[in-house]
Amino acid sequence: MQIHGVDHVEFYVGDAQQAAFYLCTAFGFRVSGQGGPETGLEGARSLLLSQGGVRLLLTTGLDSRHPATEYVRRHGDGVGVIAMGVDDVQESFTTLTGRGAPALEEPRTLEANGATVRTAVVAGFGDVTHRLVERHGNAEEFLPGLIDLIAPDVEEGEHLFSVVDHAAVLVPAGELGPTVDYYRDVFGFDNIFQEFIEVGDQAMDSKVVQSESGKVTFTIIEPVTSRRAGQIDDFLARHGGAGVQHLALLTDDIVSAVQTLEGRGVRFLKAPSSYYDELENRLGEPDLRTADLRETNVLVDQDHWGQVFQIFAQSMHVRRTYFFEVIDRHGARTFGSGNVKALYEAVEREKANV
Ligand code: FE2
């Protein structure tokens, strides 16, 4: 079983048009496809957004049988499906279900406009599922026969992001181990990083799992219940169980990406001035100018391979659950140990200011 990468991410939302409007105006995505009963998509209406190699499908259920309807009732808008590109859906589905993955949709073949796309769906964590996607032929097509493509505007939108770097998954206490085991034993992922993080009297445990290809990465975090309840517990209560807290979008120029996004109204979490005062003592000279990092509030960390630059956007979700991260890797393949804590602290400061 070969997992190439994140093929697309499907959000289940109350109003796909409204969600698309925000992502297009603020984050520079463009609408590249749409589907509904008239295009062959039963029980739902979807808009496909694209930017670089990032594809987001926004889906609103039109009847109670569609999974998006029940998902939104339980969780509000959020990530419902993380789709993975594979080289053989039938073989992957057989392997995954043989290893214990619950089967949610049998392999099917979609064919139109010179493209053949095979899909199947298995369970993930919480109410999030994984669609396996195998593509042949016309690479422009997405889900042929379900989603109609929309010709791109003359202005092709922005190219701030290239791929989904990772997803951060929050799970209730006691579920970190079983969730990591599921991705290791069933999907063949490696546990590449782990960390116990303490911030004041709060604490959390985190492990990072990654596909063999290195292209699908989940940071999985659980709260430590012997400590005071914190933002992980808040997310789990507001979201209604395990779910995706953030998707990290990979950019190759984080300083200008943050400046562009801020100009479009995206607000980012701030880092204290002391963070930048201590930066060069902690890490030496960063690859990007400290003055630019200070001005944009971008955090920097490093692993064995190089540096990594990260920032969290403020959640625009009505429940204050889901948000985007922007990440720029200068060699780093994993995560530094300082940034998870620094990002957690940024959220604490934001909560204190609200
Ligand atoms: Fe992250």
Side-chain angles (χ1 to χ4, degrees):
M1 181 177 61
Q2 294 281 344
I3 297 174
H4 306 312
V6 176
D7 185 90
H8 64 275
V9 176
E10 184 169 11
F11 285 78
Y12 288 150
V13 297
D15 186 333
Q17 309 257 21
Q18 217 163 47
F21 182 75
Y22 175 69
L23 289 169
C24 292
T25 54
F27 280 87
F29 284 90
R30 67 180 174 82
V31 177
S32 56
Q34 60 94 24
E38 72 282 1
T39 68
L41 189 67
E42 289 303 319
R45 186 163 297 287
S46 291
L47 287 173
L48 175 65
L49 305 188
S50 304
Q51 182 171 182
V54 181
R55 281 185 294 208
L56 306 180
L57 189 63
L58 308 178
T59 296
T60 300
L62 297 177
D63 62 43
S64 58
R65 286 163 305 168
H66 193 280
T69 307
E70 177 62 10
Y71 180 101
V72 171
R73 193 188 66 74
R74 284 196 206 177
H75 307 293
D77 292 6
V79 171
V81 184
I82 300 175
M84 301 179 190
V86 298
D87 56 351
D88 185 334
V89 158
Q90 183 62 60
E91 183 259 342
S92 300
F93 182 79
T94 304
T95 301
L96 293 169
T97 53
R99 291 174 183 168
L104 300 178
E105 196 181 287
E106 295 285 317
R108 63 192 290 208
T109 300
L110 306 168
E111 261 175 315
N113 306 323
T116 302
V117 176
R118 294 197 178 86
T119 66
V121 180
V122 298
F125 49 86
D127 287 330
V128 177
T129 64
H130 295 301
R131 180 176 296 122
L132 312 170
V133 184
E134 171 192 344
R135 298 183 175 281
H136 300 281
N138 182 357
E140 296 292 303
E141 279 293 328
F142 178 63
L143 295 176
L146 299 181
I147 304 288
D148 282 358
L149 299 187
I150 294 172
D153 293 337
V154 183
E155 283 181 47
E156 269 198 51
E158 309 231 44
H159 291 279
L160 300 173
F161 310 116
S162 54
V163 293
V164 174
D165 181 272
H166 64 274
V169 176
L170 305 194
V171 298
E175 289 185 20
L176 176 63
T179 308
V180 169
D181 290 349
Y182 182 67
Y183 285 99
R184 196 190 52 214
D185 300 343
V186 175
F187 285 81
F189 282 19
D190 292 322
N191 179 5
I192 61 163
F193 189 80
Q194 55 190 22
E195 193 176 15
F196 178 82
I197 301 149
E198 284 180 291
V199 179
D201 54 0
Q202 303 172 15
M204 56 187 164
D205 245 326
S206 78
K207 292 189 175 182
V208 180
V209 294
Q210 189 173 66
S211 65
E212 221 172 81
S213 65
K215 298 289 173 60
V216 181
T217 306
F218 299 145
T219 302
I220 306 167
I221 301 171
E222 73 174 3
V224 173
T225 48
S226 58
R227 303 297 187 87
R228 185 166 69 83
Q231 57 187 261
I232 309 301
D233 306 87
D234 292 347
F235 174 95
L236 295 168
R238 290 195 294 246
H239 178 77
V244 174
Q245 181 209 39
H246 66 262
L247 287 183
L249 302 175
L250 184 69
T251 180
D252 58 10
D253 185 353
I254 194 166
V255 169
S256 67
V258 168
Q259 288 166 340
T260 302
L261 294 168
E262 279 184 330
R264 292 164 159 263
V266 178
R267 293 183 63 202
F268 290 95
L269 300 192
K270 306 255 182 282
S273 193
S274 58
Y275 178 88
Y276 299 98
D277 298 338
E278 294 151 16
L279 190 61
E280 293 187 15
N281 284 337
R282 184 165 68 87
L283 295 175
E285 183 93 7
D287 280 356
L288 301 177
R289 289 177 53 221
T290 304
D292 289 341
L293 301 175
R294 188 191 290 271
E295 191 195 310
T296 49
N297 289 284
V298 167
L299 303 177
V300 56
D301 214 331
Q302 64 189 4
D303 67 5
H304 295 305
W305 295 278
Q307 295 185 344
V308 57
F309 298 84
Q310 294 169 281
I311 192 165
F312 280 173
Q314 279 186 2
S315 179
M316 290 303 291
H317 193 289
V318 69
R319 301 191 190 196
R320 295 291 180 267
T321 47
Y322 175 81
F323 56 85
F324 280 107
E325 172 185 328
V326 178
I327 186 166
D328 186 354
R329 294 185 176 278
H330 286 223
R333 294 186 208 162
T334 60
F335 303 91
S337 59
N339 270 7
V340 181
K341 187 174 158 83
L343 290 163
Y344 190 96
E345 288 170 341
V347 175
E348 288 300 299
R349 278 191 300 278
E350 198 61 38
K351 278 167 61 183
N353 290 336
V354 167

